[in-house]
Amino acid sequence: MKLGRTGVKVSNLCLGSDNFGNPYGCDEATSHRIMAKAFDTGINFLDTSDSYSIGDSERVIGNYFRGSGQRDQIVLATKYRSQVGDGVNDIGASRYHIVRTVEGSLKRLNTDRIDLLYCHSWDSETPIEETLRAVDDLIHQGKVLYAGASNFPTWVLASALWTSDIRNLYRVEAIQSVFNILQPGLAIEMIPLARKYGVAVVPYSPLASGLLTGKHLDSYASDSKFGVRDDSRGGVLKRRYGDDLRHETVVKLVSVAERYGEPVIRLALQWVAEHDGVTAPIFGARTMDQLDGILDAWSLAASEEAMSEVRTIADEFQAGAPMNYPPQSGQAGVTLTRAA
């Protein structure tokens, strides 16, 4: 698939690397096996960030490229903006921070360029033109090929596109935000905007951090849900997804999967991917078994009969969610009322 209006081609799934070098994810050897298997199956799109495991995800990826010789076959995306140090300027989308963090990413990734550079989230303290000009300069230097944005409100992306247009700057070519059956807000305004202006939509968390695989249903009401401890990622996931409405929706989805003999992973991923304008959902894996399960599920399209029921379930979730249902990352303030 084309990455938005650009000429670069990417696979219809993107491998996410938040698990790489992560204490709740996988070690370097497993990360390298996951990358090798994913790339061997045709995935050529890899996503990371300078803030994932305080740079360790990028280091793991850089070590893989050092030994594999596959760098030029992979479209590599990373990000800036998040906190990466203790200094007051070790965060944000200022020119000062962007230039410094890109140099660090290039070294950790063992590469001479970043193919797609996302701003990890909107920085309301920095003028959007400063951010765009800094990335424009890096593109002219050949250190970055394309600009992207992540977790931007729709109006901020629109402002960025307008600013690039009137200032003759390289523009944002991809938007990355959370999008799944349980967090569907992206489809209301952002996807239509992106489709109109040729911006690639690269959704993350299409499986709702594993909830849409059905694996957490048995322990849903217990403290073991998501491996919950207050100091773990599980605690974040419980706060994000731990409500009855989402639980009931997952139960319905699993029921459809069982009746039609379809992998529930396929149903959840296909619902995301079938939205016009979506380029490549981002998925992650901590083990080879998880990777194999996702790749196997993705290898065959679900039946139209099954997907029709999945769409109904998604519509029922949106209809049952009250206005301003607890907003999630990248969706602050959006409602779940479907546009006419």
Side-chain angles (χ1 to χ4, degrees):
M1 301 185 68
K2 287 180 61 179
L3 185 73
R5 67 171 192 170
T6 77
V8 69
K9 306 294 196 309
V10 295
S11 50
N12 59 12
L13 283 181
C14 176
L15 176 62
S17 67
D18 190 21
N19 286 309
F20 298 173
N22 190 315
Y24 304 109
C26 50
D27 60 22
E28 182 161 336
T30 302
S31 301
H32 287 181
R33 287 195 294 272
I34 288 171
M35 281 187 278
K37 177 67 176 289
F39 299 156
D40 284 348
T41 60
I43 291 173
N44 77 332
F45 198 8
L46 177 62
D47 180 84
T48 187
S49 170
D50 65 348
S51 64
Y52 291 167
S53 305
I54 321 176
D56 281 345
S57 174
E58 289 186 331
R59 291 187 188 93
V60 167
I61 292 169
N63 290 340
Y64 177 85
F65 285 140
R66 184 176 290 109
S68 71
Q70 291 181 294
R71 172 65 187 94
D72 288 337
Q73 283 71 55
I74 304 303
V75 178
L76 176 61
T78 192
K79 310 177 189 74
Y80 63 90
R81 162 68 173 98
S82 298
Q83 187 85 41
V84 292
D86 297 329
V88 294
N89 289 306
D90 290 333
I91 187 173
S94 68
R95 174 184 291 273
Y96 182 88
H97 180 68
I98 293 169
V99 171
R100 290 170 62 237
T101 195
V102 163
E103 291 297 337
S105 289
L106 289 170
K107 291 177 183 177
R108 288 188 293 271
L109 290 166
N110 190 39
T111 187
D112 60 354
R113 74 192 187 276
I114 294 166
D115 300 324
L116 175 60
L117 180 67
Y118 290 104
C119 182
H120 211 153
S121 60
W122 174 45
D123 179 2
S124 62
E125 296 183 346
T126 302
I128 194 69
E129 184 172 343
E130 177 180 344
T131 301
L132 292 169
R133 282 195 180 278
V135 177
D136 183 85
D137 287 346
L138 291 168
I139 292 174
H140 281 289
Q141 294 167 20
K143 295 179 180 180
V144 173
L145 301 188
Y146 299 102
S150 177
N151 298 315
F152 273 32
T154 305
W155 73 268
V156 175
L157 177 60
S159 175
L161 293 172
W162 178 79
T163 301
S164 293
D165 186 35
I166 64 170
R167 300 300 187 197
N168 195 29
L169 301 171
Y170 280 104
R171 54 159 249 180
V172 168
E173 300 291 359
I175 180 71
Q176 179 185 126
S177 290
V178 63
F179 186 47
N180 58 58
I181 291 171
L182 306 179
Q183 294 175 283
L186 206 67
I188 298 169
E189 291 181 344
M190 181 64 83
I191 290 179
L193 175 77
R195 188 169 61 242
K196 178 176 176 61
Y197 292 103
V199 178
V201 178
V202 186
Y204 67 80
S205 199
L207 300 177
S209 299
L211 184 60
L212 287 170
T213 67
K215 69 180 182 180
H216 297 298
L217 287 178
D218 291 341
S219 58
Y220 195 86
S222 73
D223 288 340
S224 63
K225 176 178 170 288
F226 297 122
V228 167
R229 298 190 311 274
D230 288 342
D231 61 344
S232 74
R233 294 178 70 192
V236 174
L237 298 179
K238 185 172 184 179
R239 290 190 295 273
R240 182 176 296 170
Y241 294 112
D243 61 82
D244 290 341
L245 182 58
R246 288 190 170 94
H247 175 245
E248 292 165 4
T249 301
V250 177
V251 169
K252 293 177 183 177
L253 186 67
V254 171
S255 176
V256 171
E258 292 174 346
R259 283 190 287 107
Y260 285 93
E262 301 277 10
V264 67
I265 291 173
R266 177 72 211 200
L267 300 182
L269 283 174
Q270 189 164 324
W271 181 88
V272 171
E274 72 180 13
H275 283 76
D276 187 18
V278 167
T279 299
I282 301 171
F283 74 97
R286 291 184 294 106
T287 66
M288 293 302 295
D289 285 345
Q290 287 183 356
L291 176 67
D292 290 340
I294 291 170
L295 295 178
D296 288 346
W298 188 247
S299 62
L300 294 173
S303 68
E304 176 56 29
E305 292 80 6
M307 287 308 302
S308 177
E309 293 198 31
V310 171
R311 295 179 201 116
T312 298
I313 290 169
D315 288 344
E316 288 174 347
F317 171 79
Q318 294 186 47
M323 297 288 282
N324 292 315
Y325 196 61
Q328 310 301 328
S329 173
Q331 291 184 220
V334 336
T335 65
L336 298 183
T337 303
R338 186 180 285 271

